[in-house]
Amino acid sequence: MKEKLEQIKEEALAQIRASKTPEQLNEVRVSQLGKKGALTEILKGMKDVAPEDRPRIGALVNETRSEIEKVLEEARSRMEAHIRDARLAKETIDVTLPAENMNVGHVHPNMRALKEVEDIFIGMGYEVVEGPEVERDYYNFEALNIPADHPAKDEQDTFYINGDILLRTQTSSTQVHEMEKGKLPIRMIAPGRVFRSDEVDATHSPSFHQVEGLVIDKHITFADLKGTLSVFAKELFGEDTRVKFRPHHFPFTEPSAEVDVSCFKCGGKGCRFCKGEGWIEILGCGMVHPHVLEMSNIDPNEYSGFAFGVGLERIALLKYEIDDMRLLYENDIRFLKQF
C-alpha cells in the first residue's frame, strides 16, 4: 500500500511540474484528489483493510494528500504571480495622457426652485409635508368646500381612476390630511406633483408641481398672511420686491386673493418681461374657510388660518427667465446645461 501511495504521489508531482496553466493544475487536483481521484479510490477500499492496519494506512493517505496539496498550492501561487507580472507589463498606463472628461449632472431647475422655496419656509418655522398623488374625491374636492355640483370642479378637470379615486389636482388635499390629525397649531407647506387634463402648451401641462402652504392657529389674521407672503417674495425675488393683493374667489378660502409681485427685472416700471404692467402674478391665497375647518373637526370660533398655493414651474420660469414650460420636461441636454 505504501508503494502504491508513493507511486500516486510521484505521478501527481510529475503532472504538476508539467502543467503550464491554472486550468491544467485544476485537472491534476481533480484527477488525484477529487471524488473519483486515485487517493479517494484508496480510501474507498479501506473496508477491505484489516482493522488494525486502517489507522496506519489512513495516516499515510492523509500525508500523501497533504504533500500533493502543498505542491499544488505552491505551483498555483508561482503561476498566478507570473501571470500577474506579465499582465502588469502589458497593461502599462501612460500617466501623462489627458484624463477623460467626466459628465457630471446637476439639479434640475424645478428642483432648484423647490429647494429655495422650502429653505425660505423652513426658515420661518414651517414643516415640509408630502401627501399621496392618488387621492380620494373627498380630500381633493369635498373637504375643500367643493361639492359635486360646484363649477370649480370643471376648472380642475382631472383624471379619474373610478368614481371616488382620482389623480389629485392640487396639493391642498395634503393639508386636509394634516388638519384631520388634530395636532394644532399647523405650519406646513405641501410640495408635490398634481394632475389636470390640460392641453400641453407653453404655460400648461397635464402634470405639474405645486407648493401649498397652510397655517392654523389661534388669532391668525389676514395681516399674518400678508406679512408671510411679503417675506417670501422678498427672499425669492429680492429685497426690493413689493406685493399686491387683488380680490379673488377660491371655494376653500374666504376672503381670497391673487398675489402679484413687482417685476424684479424693471422694478415695476414696465418691461417685456412683465408685459409692460410692472407686476407679475405668482400665487393665490386666502383665509381658510370656516366650513373647511369644521369638516376637519377644527372649531372655527377658536382657530383660524390662512392658505396659499404657488405653481413650482411658474417660479422656475420666472426665476430663470424661461419662456416655455415644455423645456423643463423635454430633457434637452443643451437646455439643462445652462443651469
Side-chain angles (χ1 to χ4, degrees), residues 179 182 184 216-219 288-305:
M179 286 191 290
L184 301 174
I216 303 290
D217 203 347
K218 296 179 179 179
H219 312 302
V288 179
H289 198 292
H291 190 208
V292 173
L293 294 176
E294 290 174 345
M295 284 190 289
S296 295
N297 297 317
I298 297 175
D299 186 355
N301 296 315
E302 185 177 1
Y303 288 94
S304 59

Side-chain angles (χ1 to χ4, degrees), residues 1-71:
M1 181 65 71
K2 185 176 181 180
E3 291 78 8
K4 187 173 182 180
L5 289 173
E6 281 291 332
Q7 180 183 353
I8 291 173
K9 184 175 74 172
E10 292 300 326
E11 183 180 344
L13 296 180
Q15 291 177 353
I16 292 171
R17 287 191 292 269
S19 298
K20 303 298 183 184
T21 65
E23 290 75 18
Q24 291 176 340
L25 284 178
N26 189 59
E27 291 175 3
V28 175
R29 183 187 64 78
V30 172
S31 64
Q32 300 296 337
L33 308 179
K35 292 183 178 181
K36 296 182 180 180
L39 282 179
T40 305
E41 291 299 322
I42 290 179
L43 289 174
K44 289 180 180 178
M46 290 288 283
K47 63 181 183 295
D48 300 325
V49 178
E52 61 273 14
D53 293 332
R54 287 177 185 173
R56 180 174 60 84
I57 299 301
L60 287 173
V61 172
N62 289 334
E63 182 180 343
T64 302
R65 175 185 291 275
S66 296
E67 291 182 15
I68 295 174
E69 286 179 342
K70 180 181 178 182
V71 176

Side-chain angles (χ1 to χ4, degrees), residues 40-165:
T40 305
E41 291 299 322
I42 290 179
L43 289 174
K44 289 180 180 178
M46 290 288 283
K47 63 181 183 295
D48 300 325
V49 178
E52 61 273 14
D53 293 332
R54 287 177 185 173
R56 180 174 60 84
I57 299 301
L60 287 173
V61 172
N62 289 334
E63 182 180 343
T64 302
R65 175 185 291 275
S66 296
E67 291 182 15
I68 295 174
E69 286 179 342
K70 180 181 178 182
V71 176
L72 265 174
E73 187 58 36
E74 291 173 351
R76 179 179 290 104
S77 297
R78 288 194 302 271
M79 198 173 291
E80 289 177 350
H82 177 73
I83 293 172
R84 183 172 59 252
D85 292 343
R87 183 177 177 183
L88 289 173
K90 182 180 179 181
E91 298 180 356
T92 302
I93 299 174
D94 186 352
V95 295
T96 64
L97 287 173
E100 293 183 5
N101 290 329
M102 299 292 291
N103 291 322
V104 180
H106 57 77
V107 178
H108 190 276
N110 248 12
M111 294 300 102
R112 287 182 62 177
L114 176 59
K115 180 67 165 57
E116 191 169 353
V117 171
E118 287 181 344
D119 287 346
I120 292 171
F121 282 104
I122 288 173
M124 290 193 282
Y126 284 62
E127 179 184 5
V128 179
V129 180
E130 294 184 353
E133 293 180 358
V134 180
E135 188 59 274
R136 287 178 55 198
D137 184 274
Y138 172 79
Y139 288 101
N140 195 82
F141 290 118
E142 290 186 31
L144 293 170
N145 206 28
I146 307 176
D149 58 350
H150 199 286
K153 268 198 168 185
D154 296 333
E155 297 175 3
Q156 298 188 35
D157 191 16
T158 187
F159 302 96
Y160 278 86
I161 296 172
N162 58 38
D164 186 49
I165 306 297

Side-chain angles (χ1 to χ4, degrees), residues 201-222:
D201 59 29
T203 57
H204 295 85
S205 171
S207 175
F208 57 100
H209 297 79
Q210 278 188 342
V211 180
E212 303 255 355
L214 175 70
V215 171
I216 303 290
D217 203 347
K218 296 179 179 179
H219 312 302
I220 297 295
T221 67
F222 203 94

Side-chain angles (χ1 to χ4, degrees), residues 124 223-239 241-243 245 259 261:
M124 290 193 282
D224 298 307
L225 170 59
K226 292 180 69 174
T228 298
L229 295 183
S230 177
V231 170
F232 168 63
K234 291 178 183 294
E235 290 289 331
L236 191 64
F237 298 113
E239 189 60 35
T241 303
R242 292 167 289 128
V243 295
F245 291 76
V259 179
V261 296

